[in-house]
Structures are given as C-alpha cells and as structure tokens.
Amino acid sequence: MTTAARHEGPGSRREAPDARAARRPGGRNGGRPPGEARGIGWLYVLPALLVYGGFLLWPLVRGAQFSLYHWDGLGTATWAGVSNYTSTWSDPALRGAFGHLLVLVVFYSVLPCCIAFVLVGAMSRTKIRGLAFFRTVLFLPQVIAMVAVAVAWRWVYSADGPVNTVLGGLHALGLPDWRRGWLGDFTFALPAVGVVGTWVGIGLALVLFLAGVQKIPRELYEAARIDGAGPVREFIAVTLPALRRELAVALTLTTIMAIRNFDLIYMATEGGPGNATKVPAYEVYNRTFNTGEVGLGCAIGVTLAVLAFAVTAGIGRLVEGRDA
Amino acid sequence: MPTLMRRGAVAAAAALVTALAAACAPGSSGDKPAGKAPAAVSTDVAKAGNVTLTVWDQEVQGGLKEQIEKLNAQFQATYPNVKINRVSRSFSDLQKTLRLALSGSNPPDVVEANQGYASMAQFVKAGMLLPLDPYDQVYGWKKRYPKGLLDLNSVTDDGKLIGSGKLYGVSLNGEIVGLYYNKEKLQKLGIQPPKTWAEFDQALATAKGKGEVPIAFGNVEKLPAMQLYGILQDGLADKEAVRRLVFGSGGSWTDGPNVQAAQKLADWSKKGYFTKNANSIKWDDTPVNFAKGEGVFMFGGTWWAPDLNDRMKEKVGFMLPPASQAGAPVATMGGESLPWSITAKSKHADVAAAYINFITSPKAMDVSVETGNLPVLPAPSRQPSAALMREVSAAWGELSRNDGTTPYLDYATPTFTDAFGGPLQELVAGRRSPEEAMKAAQDDYTAFQNKK
C-alpha cells in the first residue's frame, strides 16, 4: 500500500513545474516553449493517461456516482441523494469506525515519528557502526506485505504466543496475570492492532529522518555545542528544524497508511470483536461485498479519499509552512 | 497561477458531476433477464453439440473436492460432447465474487448460490437465476426430495419470502450442526454422552471441575456464536417458531425463549465452559484444537466430520444436540449444502439442468458416501465405513424422520452476521446483557422487514 502512496507523491509534484512552463509567456516560437510542437506532448503521455484514466479515474468517478444511489449490487438502483453520506455519520457503527481511525492515526503516524525522532536524536550524536544494517532491519517491516505482517502478529498475540508467554513468566514472578487473547479483547484489540502499525511505521520514519540528518552541516552542531547546547537543546535547535520536510513526508505517508488500513484489519480481526476494530477502509469492503450496501460502501470510500487529500494538504501546510 | 489551476479543477469537477447526472444509474442498464421459462425442455444432452459448461462451486475441502471431481469426470465420460469448466473457490470467496459474476453479461452456467436473504433471495429478485420448475417436471426433484429441503431452495419471484414460490436450486449433500465429543475424555471423567440438556449441564460442570475445557469454541468470525446460540434456541423454542422467525413470517427475537437462549449462552461463558478467549480464536482452529485434546465437547457442522475422523479416529463421537427430555424429538440447524442453480443468462440451460440432475442422482449419493461425505438423500448401495461417519449418517436420518432441521440464523437478513453476531461476541465477553443482544438482533430484523 505504501508503494502506491510513494508513487503518488513525486508524481503530483512533477506536474506543477510543467504547467508553469507551459504558461510562461515569451520564447521565440510565438509564446511557445522551444522544442517540438505542444500537441505532440500529449501523444507521449497518452498511453499512461489512458491506463490511468481507465483504471483509476473512471472507477473513481463511477464510485462517486454509486455513492449517490441505494444499490444492492444486483438489481436496479434507486436514487439516494446524499443520504448515504449522512448515514456515514449517523450510523453509530460507522461513526465508531471513524473514531477508531483517529486512534489508529496516533499509533500509525504520531508514535512512529516520535520514536524515530528519539532514535535519530541519539544516533546523530554518536557514530554507529553498521548503520546500514540497522537501517535495513528497521525498514524491513515496510517491505513485507501487510497480509504477512498480519499473519505473523496474529501468532504473536495468540493465546499461547510470545506475548502471553512472557506475561505468563511475569505472572510466575508474582506480577498480576496480564495474559489475554489480545486481538479478541474488546479493550485491547484496537491498541494491539495499533502497535502493529507502529512497528511497521517506525522503519519508514527512521530511514527518512536518518537521510535528512546526513544533510545537516556538521558546523551547525559544532556551533551549537560551542554555544553550550546539551543534547536536548541541540536536537530542538538544529535537528528538528532541519528535518521539517522529512517529517512532513513521514507523517503524510503513515497517515495515509492509517486511513487505507484494510489488509491488517481484514486478516487480523475482521473488525471484531463486536465492532471494536472496525475502520472505515474495512467497512468500504464489508458494506460493498458482504452486506450488499454498495452505495453506502462507495460513500465511505469517497469520504475516505477526501479525508486523505485533506490530511495530506493539511500536513504539508502545518509542517512545511505556507508555501508547500 | 495555483488559483488558475484550482479554477480548472473546479470546472472539471463540475463537468464531471453534470456528466454523472446524465449517466445511467447503476444496475439499470436494462439487462434484467425476463424470467424466461424454457418453452420445451430437452433432456438429450448428446444432441446439444459441443458445449462448454462453466460451473462455479465451493467444493474445495478434501472429501468434497474429491466428490465433485469424480462426478464431473463421470458426467464428461457419459457425455463426451460436454466439457466442464470448473471454477472453485472457498465458501467466503464465492459469496463475494458471485454477486459480480452474476451481474455481468457473461455469467457462469451453473453456480452454487447460498440459501438465505443475503444471497439466493437477492439473486432471484434481480432475475439472475433460472426457475427450475419446468425442469422438475422432467427430472422429478420434487418427488425425490422431502418438501422441507426443497423449501430451503425456493423463493418467491420478488425475493421476499423463502420457503415458497419457485424452485431455484438442488443440493447434493446434507449438513447439520451437532455435538462432537471426545470419547476418551468422557471415559476418564466418568460421564456418558448426555441425552438431555440437564445431563449436558451436569457433564459441563464435571468437566470444568476436573480442569478440562468443557466446550471447544472459537468465535472471531461472529458466525460460530450464532450457531451456538441457534442450537440453544432450538432446545428452548418451538422449531416452527424458529423457522417462521428466520424466514420473516412471524415472531420476534425478543420473545421469551429466544432471550432465554441468550441467557444460557451468557451463563456458560460466565462459568468458564468455553475455550478461554474464545473471541480471539478462529473458527477453523476450533476442530484443530478439539482434535489436539482441548475440549471435551464441541458443537459443529457435519462438514468437519471427515477431517476429525482423520485426526481422531476412534476417539471422536457425534450426536444430535441433547433433547429437552429423554427421548423427545430434537431440532437443530442444518439442511443441505449449497444448492446448484442455473443462471438466467446461461446459453446451455438444458445441459446445465441435465448436469444438476446428474450430480444429485441416486448414483451421486453413492459417490458422496464413497468420498466420506453426507449425502442429502439416502445412498442406495453404499454405507459409510468410518464409525464417525456412521454416527453422522444416523443423526441425519433421525433428524430427517423427525423433520427436525431449522434454518441457519444468518439467513434472516443480509446484515445479520454483523448485527447479531457482534452483540453475541459482546455477550460472550460479558459486556452486554441477553436482553440487549436480542434487542440488537430485533432492530436489524425490523429494519430489514420494513425495507423488504
């Protein structure tokens, strides 16, 4: 899922300068940029445009259209207006799903970035041997398919899995018995899924931040140290501001991962127990394919897409400043 | 310049919306087939010429897979002009893809469409399936099958009522939800297989007291708790009342016996009669754990029997759920496997009907037994060899004689698994009262009835 997100990022940024160049006045060919005629450019992008339009834009448009109908996926649809959108908010189960999404954003996005910052803060002061190795290991969760991650963590959390084994050991030492079926527990299922997201997200944030730190001139650190800055002060005054762009990227990618989080939920809990781990992305699938409420499923999907766009734009502004 | 771009985007969006308003509504492209009944039925498959029959089934597990492969091979050997293109998927995958396949312009010819309001009734309402009544006049399924079983595969044209209307499918295997028990453990605990609910409660208490897990239970999917609830409900409520309730022709989920059943489920959970953390254990793991020795009893479908027989051999027994009093007739959920149906757009409906007749013929029932399955009708010349399969077969026979099958509860509404199964998970976890769980079921039920 993240690969797709990563493709989107640079792609959309590349468009902007092109558009600006096209509209730039002047140039010898009567206001046209030099080189081949403009029309020919469309020919080059046409194949990609067709694929993109056919497999992405058209389904998106149809999805938006379906969201305005009550449809069971089989018979004739009836016009619904915006009622699917209103039930996205009035249905307590769906409202709950959006609430769970908020919790998961903390686990998927905020926590990994915070933890990665602490790690980077420590790493930027000392030279670590075999950094490339650690980087690879920490990045690994990003590379593994989410389905495999979910299967592995199902076992980790299972009744006789490692987590409960350790807790059982602690219990034997006199601590209270904390063992439980984590993914089937109404209180702990959502945080348990969240921890998996944190585990996946740390690597990405850390690799981004480490790359950013290497760009910071050593002189800045030396200057800070001469001015008497301790490790905390140094981090706040030098490292953090320099990593603003990386932070924006990390937050955007991980938040989108949280919003699109379907495979982990589907494999690990199917939204259960009860509705405890239902998230909107799972409900899109559930309503469309399981319960035959295609219109409602599409409405949730569109809402999620809008939310993803809003969050992306918001994070850009917040972290990178107004001109982003 | 960004503003310019944005204005362009707004204009494009506006154009899209206009285009959409003009585009046709989903599903209204006028391709609803007019419930065509074949004018003349041809049973002569050989005369049909070279035909490829596309069949979508969900027979993927051991004995079931073997059974359908054997039958397909026999059919093709009988009619060399017919080639069967078999597409098999797991039960849940088939549920999810069938909807799309049927609404397409080139659906498969024969499909296993699940019973209930979520599947078959919706397909019928949308005109996706062919009524089999004209073929029945030739092949005589209604004479071959008991009425109760055919009712499960019958729906009215408007999709509003299951159990009457036209026939839309024929099933090959029987299935019931019953009680498996670990013979070795029962012996060690010094208890007999329970004949009544009172004896069963006693047995559970004894097992718990001796440190055993009384009932193996896994409930991630929400459906298992609904089955367990259904068994308890069948023990407390009248079977006719349960049938009426599920098929939507009367009664309420908040009626006395229905609430009592939920109360019993909650009590069992509170007393620790289930596998610990049942809500976090997968359904498919339940028989695996049971075979490993975790659990003295296990409620489960006969579809697990071949697998358990392989794993446990002589150690496992099967019986119908206990009766209210010794010797009283028992009712439990079950009926028949997914019905084989013909799609309305099939170009070879006659051949498809002949195929369905072939795989549900008395000879096919023999194949069912041979491959370790439970045939829906008595096999004329085969007896199961494994002890467990004989017990399963005897239970099925007894239930058929008593007319004791009740429908699965998830047939009730398309959203019932979530709407009732979720609250039942909370009931098992002790977070919801029986009254609240049953009210949640009734709310979903009422909403669906009003919409129907």
Side-chain angles (χ1 to χ4, degrees):
Chain A
M1 74 184 346
T2 28
T3 8
R6 242 175 278 139
H7 283 309
E8 267 166 36
S12 51
R13 221 161 288 154
R14 223 176 293 134
E15 268 167 32
D18 283 352
R20 225 172 290 150
R23 248 175 260 127
R24 189 158 38 216
R28 247 173 286 161
N29 301 343
R32 261 203 253 128
E36 292 178 80
R38 277 234 318 130
I40 216 99
W42 285 103
L43 220 58
Y44 288 122
V45 290
L46 193 64
L49 206 63
L50 280 180
V51 171
Y52 185 71
F55 289 99
L56 209 115
L57 293 181
W58 181 238
L60 199 70
V61 168
R62 287 288 276 180
Q65 184 200 356
F66 289 178
S67 72
L68 301 175
Y69 288 87
H70 292 300
W71 190 35
D72 62 3
L74 287 167
T76 313
T78 52
W79 179 255
V82 292
S83 76
N84 281 327
Y85 287 94
T86 47
S87 34
T88 308
W89 297 107
S90 59
D91 184 335
L94 289 176
R95 215 170 36 222
F98 278 95
H100 297 154
L101 176 59
L102 280 181
V103 176
L104 286 186
V105 165
V106 173
F107 275 103
Y108 279 53
S109 186
V110 179
L111 271 182
C113 287
C114 290
I115 295 172
F117 262 133
V118 173
L119 289 174
V120 164
M123 286 177 177
S124 63
R125 280 186 72 85
T126 47
K127 226 176 147 45
I128 295 170
R129 278 198 198 180
L131 186 64
F133 172 75
F134 288 119
R135 229 173 5 201
T136 312
V137 169
L138 283 165
F139 195 67
L140 218 53
Q142 279 290 320
V143 182
I144 303 172
M146 208 57 161
V147 175
V149 169
V151 171
W153 278 86
R154 273 195 61 82
W155 170 72
V156 170
Y157 283 134
S158 65
D160 41 9
V163 172
N164 280 327
T165 311
V166 170
L167 291 178
L170 292 179
H171 179 50
L173 291 176
L175 286 165
D177 190 0
W178 285 313
R179 280 175 294 180
R180 62 191 75 234
W182 294 93
L183 292 174
D185 189 288
F186 280 87
T187 317
F188 289 99
L190 189 62
V193 172
V195 166
V196 181
T198 311
W199 179 76
V200 173
I202 288 177
L204 177 76
L206 188 67
V207 168
L208 280 170
F209 295 166
L210 279 177
V213 162
Q214 281 165 357
K215 286 189 327 209
I216 305 176
R218 304 305 309 170
E219 294 82 30
L220 281 181
Y221 284 105
E222 279 159 26
R225 264 171 234 181
I226 289 167
D227 286 347
V232 176
R233 180 93 210 141
E234 185 185 301
F235 180 74
I236 291 171
V238 181
T239 315
L240 201 56
L243 289 181
R244 256 172 41 185
R245 279 179 176 279
E246 282 75 14
L247 178 61
V249 173
L251 278 179
T252 309
L253 290 181
T254 49
T255 310
I256 287 179
M257 188 177 102
I259 291 175
R260 298 173 19 164
N261 173 32
F262 162 77
D263 27 18
L264 184 58
I265 297 288
Y266 178 73
M267 287 302 294
T269 63
E270 296 193 26
N275 293 328
T277 58
K278 284 249 174 83
V279 291
Y282 177 80
E283 282 294 271
V284 172
Y285 155 83
N286 187 29
R287 303 284 173 153
T288 310
F289 292 104
N290 283 346
T291 63
E293 297 164 282
V294 178
L296 183 55
C298 288
I300 306 169
V302 170
T303 309
L304 273 187
V306 171
L307 201 66
F309 276 119
V311 164
T312 316
I315 290 175
R317 295 205 157 196
L318 212 70
V319 185
E320 288 195 64
R322 285 248 139 211
D323 59 328
Chain B
M1 251 174 294
T3 22
L4 241 178
M5 280 176 64
R6 218 165 286 158
R7 211 168 288 162
V10 170
L16 260 180
V17 170
T18 328
L20 276 179
C24 60
S28 70
S29 41
D31 59 3
K32 177 176 172 168
K36 53 158 188 180
V41 174
S42 160
T43 52
D44 194 349
V45 176
K47 244 172 54 187
N50 282 336
V51 170
T52 300
L53 208 60
T54 303
V55 179
W56 280 25
D57 66 48
Q58 51 107 37
E59 313 292 309
V60 287
Q61 282 166 3
L64 295 171
K65 179 166 169 259
E66 203 188 327
Q67 164 182 247
I68 201 69
E69 278 173 354
K70 236 178 185 168
L71 288 171
N72 282 350
Q74 287 179 3
F75 185 75
Q76 293 183 95
T78 317
Y79 303 108
N81 59 322
V82 180
K83 190 176 165 287
I84 291 175
N85 172 24
R86 174 171 179 244
V87 181
S88 62
R89 297 197 157 89
S90 77
F91 171 77
S92 54
D93 284 351
L94 186 74
Q95 298 309 303
K96 278 150 208 166
T97 46
L98 201 51
R99 203 175 264 278
L100 286 170
L102 286 178
S103 52
S105 52
N106 199 10
D109 299 292
V110 176
V111 296
E112 281 195 276
N114 197 13
Q115 291 102 340
Y117 284 110
S119 299
M120 188 185 258
Q122 282 195 0
F123 298 155
V124 168
K125 187 179 164 200
M128 304 291 181
L129 299 179
L130 207 61
L132 297 184
D133 300 76
Y135 293 107
D136 171 62
Q137 301 195 337
V138 183
Y139 294 115
W141 293 309
K142 286 186 184 167
K143 272 174 247 145
R144 215 189 295 163
Y145 282 76
K147 184 175 179 301
L149 291 180
L150 287 181
D151 277 355
L152 285 173
N153 297 339
S154 302
V155 188
T156 52
D157 287 343
D158 54 8
K160 284 186 183 168
L161 204 61
I162 293 172
S164 42
K166 294 181 186 133
L167 180 69
Y168 284 94
V170 188
S171 303
L172 161 58
N173 290 118
E175 57 183 51
I176 39 176
V177 182
L179 182 61
Y180 291 93
Y181 54 95
N182 188 321
K183 289 179 178 168
E184 220 175 53
K185 284 190 190 288
L186 278 196
Q187 208 169 20
K188 217 184 280 168
L189 294 168
I191 35 184
Q192 292 293 313
K195 295 269 183 297
T196 65
W197 282 107
E199 278 177 37
F200 187 58
D201 271 328
Q202 190 66 47
L204 292 177
T206 312
K208 179 72 190 169
K210 299 239 172 101
E212 292 280 356
V213 175
I215 300 173
F217 184 47
N219 190 34
V220 171
E221 294 83 355
K222 304 178 184 148
L223 213 58
M226 281 170 67
Q227 283 198 359
L228 191 47
Y229 171 85
I231 291 167
L232 292 168
Q233 186 192 30
D234 286 332
L236 289 159
D238 175 50
K239 69 185 175 195
E240 277 304 329
V242 174
R243 288 172 185 163
R244 276 199 304 273
L245 187 59
V246 175
F247 288 144
S249 55
S252 158
W253 292 91
T254 46
D255 289 346
N258 298 332
V259 179
Q260 280 168 33
Q263 182 67 55
K264 187 141 186 173
L265 186 64
D267 289 347
W268 278 0
S269 180
K270 208 169 160 196
K271 287 180 182 161
Y273 286 171
F274 297 136
T275 310
K276 215 172 156 219
N277 304 316
N279 280 336
S280 68
I281 294 167
K282 286 224 168 203
W283 200 19
D284 286 345
D285 289 343
T286 311
V288 178
N289 293 338
F290 179 71
K292 276 194 292 196
E294 281 173 34
V296 180
F297 297 100
M298 179 184 75
F299 288 101
T302 47
W303 52 86
W304 279 339
D307 199 39
L308 282 173
N309 185 52
D310 284 349
R311 285 171 199 260
M312 298 176 76
K313 307 279 184 234
E314 304 301 310
K315 278 199 297 185
V316 58
F318 181 86
M319 58 185 278
L320 290 174
S324 49
Q325 293 147 30
V330 174
T332 185
M333 275 163 303
E336 49 198 339
S337 59
L338 270 65
W340 301 84
S341 303
I342 305 176
T343 57
K345 288 181 198 154
S346 169
K347 290 180 190 74
H348 314 290
D350 285 351
V351 179
Y355 171 74
I356 291 177
N357 184 55
F358 187 91
I359 62 169
T360 54
S361 64
K363 249 162 102 186
M365 300 304 156
D366 276 345
V367 174
S368 174
V369 173
E370 272 169 42
T371 46
N373 299 295
L374 175 64
V376 64
L377 300 176
S381 57
R382 298 274 170 173
Q383 284 299 316
S385 52
L388 181 66
M389 296 316 296
R390 278 201 299 275
E391 284 171 350
V392 166
S393 176
W396 171 257
E398 185 186 334
L399 206 64
S400 304
R401 275 194 303 281
N402 295 341
D403 179 34
T405 39
T406 54
Y408 294 105
L409 304 188
D410 56 309
Y411 294 173
T413 83
T415 46
F416 213 52
T417 309
D418 247 15
F420 184 38
L424 279 185
Q425 277 187 329
E426 296 187 70
L427 182 82
V428 169
R431 289 168 56 100
R432 223 188 247 238
S433 73
E435 288 78 14
E436 286 166 349
M438 298 322 293
K439 181 171 179 305
Q442 183 60 29
D443 286 349
D444 182 63
Y445 187 69
T446 314
F448 175 66
Q449 300 296 337
N450 289 341
K451 222 168 35 182
K452 223 161 60 165

